Amino acid sequence: MNPSQGPTNPSKASVRADANRRRILEVALAELLQDPDASMDQIARAAGVVRRTVYGHFPSREALVGALVDEAMTAVLDAHHAGAEGVDDPAESLARSVLAVWEVADRYRLLLSLARRSVTVEGLHARLAPVRAAGAAVIRRGQEQGAFQSPVPAEALSHVCDHVMLGLMDAVNAGDLAREEAGRAAAVTFLTAAGLPASEATRLVARITSQ
């Protein structure tokens, strides 16, 4: 093979640009969670870059918020898979995945009201589509095995769970639900919505969270 046709390494400029983008996202999340009205100038100063650099990666504040939401959705999907991995029982799989998802979602929950202004509720639900599909697969398996008794189709139940998770994030933000109780509340609510008796769902979640 001609050496000139061999694999190329990323240029220093590309590596620096990627590092800048990563730093801007990390700083933007911290700044926006502290001040939802933080400006692009404020984010640039906190990230130690000039305003032009921020706009070079994100042409608008809405684009920056959208990128943060995309990152949050990727982290949520990864958590869902990790929580359910290696668990055969559908009810336990659903409970563990919801608990794992909440740990990630809790970090981003203060972004919710901000994202609704920039991304819209419809945009949030569209981004949650892969998570809904993963949840529907677990619910469908539970229905087929008789663990979940709800007559509602798995795909529809997954939409319900979507709204439950976002609603619980709203409740925590509003001070109507204690943050430390929210993950367990979400898991029990998901299980009962799927058709597991409330007492059984509560015992299962208590067992998992006590481990």
Side-chain angles (χ1 to χ4, degrees):
M1 181 177 69
N2 188 331
S4 65
Q5 297 176 340
T8 58
N9 293 322
S11 68
K12 289 182 179 180
S14 174
V15 171
R16 184 167 59 251
D18 288 344
N20 278 341
R21 186 180 191 278
R22 168 52 40 203
R23 174 155 179 77
I24 290 166
L25 284 171
E26 290 174 353
V27 170
L29 178 61
E31 291 294 314
L32 290 169
L33 292 185
Q34 288 184 346
D35 176 11
D37 295 317
S39 68
M40 296 288 266
D41 282 341
Q42 183 178 332
I43 291 167
R45 287 194 300 272
V49 298
V50 297
R51 187 170 180 266
R52 184 176 64 252
T53 299
V54 176
Y55 277 103
H57 291 284
F58 308 101
S60 67
R61 191 169 181 275
E62 289 72 21
L64 175 57
V65 172
L68 287 171
V69 173
D70 287 340
E71 287 219 328
M73 294 304 103
T74 298
V76 164
L77 182 59
D78 289 345
H80 187 286
H81 290 320
E85 187 177 8
V87 182
D88 293 327
D89 178 68
E92 183 170 348
S93 178
L94 183 60
R96 288 186 180 277
S97 65
V98 172
L99 289 166
V101 162
W102 182 263
E103 288 299 314
V104 173
D106 185 48
R107 181 181 178 223
Y108 293 99
R109 64 183 166 78
L110 292 176
L111 254 180
L112 183 58
S113 58
L114 178 65
R116 281 175 171 161
R117 281 186 266 164
S118 300
V119 179
T120 76
V121 173
E122 292 77 11
L124 286 173
H125 286 293
R127 285 166 164 82
L128 281 168
V131 182
R132 276 199 307 276
V138 176
I139 294 171
R140 190 181 308 109
R141 181 157 55 90
Q143 290 176 331
E144 290 169 353
Q145 294 179 12
F148 299 146
Q149 300 299 319
S150 173
V152 180
E155 290 74 14
L157 275 175
S158 195
H159 277 278
V160 171
C161 292
D162 235 17
H163 288 277
V164 167
M165 182 66 77
L166 293 174
L168 289 175
M169 291 169 71
D170 273 337
V172 174
N173 288 344
D176 295 327
L177 178 65
R179 176 177 170 272
E180 58 274 13
E181 295 294 326
R184 291 190 291 272
V188 171
T189 303
F190 277 43
L191 289 168
T192 54
L196 198 70
S199 57
E200 187 175 340
T202 301
R203 284 195 299 270
L204 174 59
V205 173
R207 176 174 64 80
I208 293 171
T209 55
S210 68
Q211 292 175 346

